[in-house]
Amino acid sequence: MSIDWLAYLVVALVTLVATLLVVGLYSTGVRLYAISSDAQPSPAAQGRLVLVKAGAYACFALCGAAVLFGVYLIVPALHF
């Protein structure tokens, strides 16, 4: 029995990159949401805060999509 070390390295690198992506998207979304819910924004910043909140929701959506894609890859019953 032989171990395919190259395949092991590929799986380890993809796992590391996917983890960094999901954690980075989630933490960016939390940070943007915290900025967008400022208690007393200036009138000039009001329009930008709407875009910042939309960016936070986009980060959360991409994070959720990455998690769902991972579940799709793991669960064989979902492969048609």
Side-chain angles (χ1 to χ4, degrees), residues 13-80:
L13 288 176
V14 168
T15 303
L16 180 65
V17 169
T19 302
L20 290 174
L21 178 75
V22 170
V23 171
L25 282 172
Y26 187 77
S27 59
T28 302
V30 168
R31 177 66 179 145
L32 289 176
Y33 190 78
I35 290 171
S36 70
S37 55
D38 190 12
Q40 294 179 346
S42 66
Q46 197 74 309
R48 284 185 296 183
L49 290 180
V50 173
L51 291 175
V52 170
K53 188 172 277 192
Y57 290 145
C59 285
F60 291 141
L62 288 173
C63 183
V67 170
L68 289 176
F69 183 67
V71 170
Y72 169 75
L73 290 176
I74 291 172
V75 179
L78 297 176
H79 302 167
F80 300 114

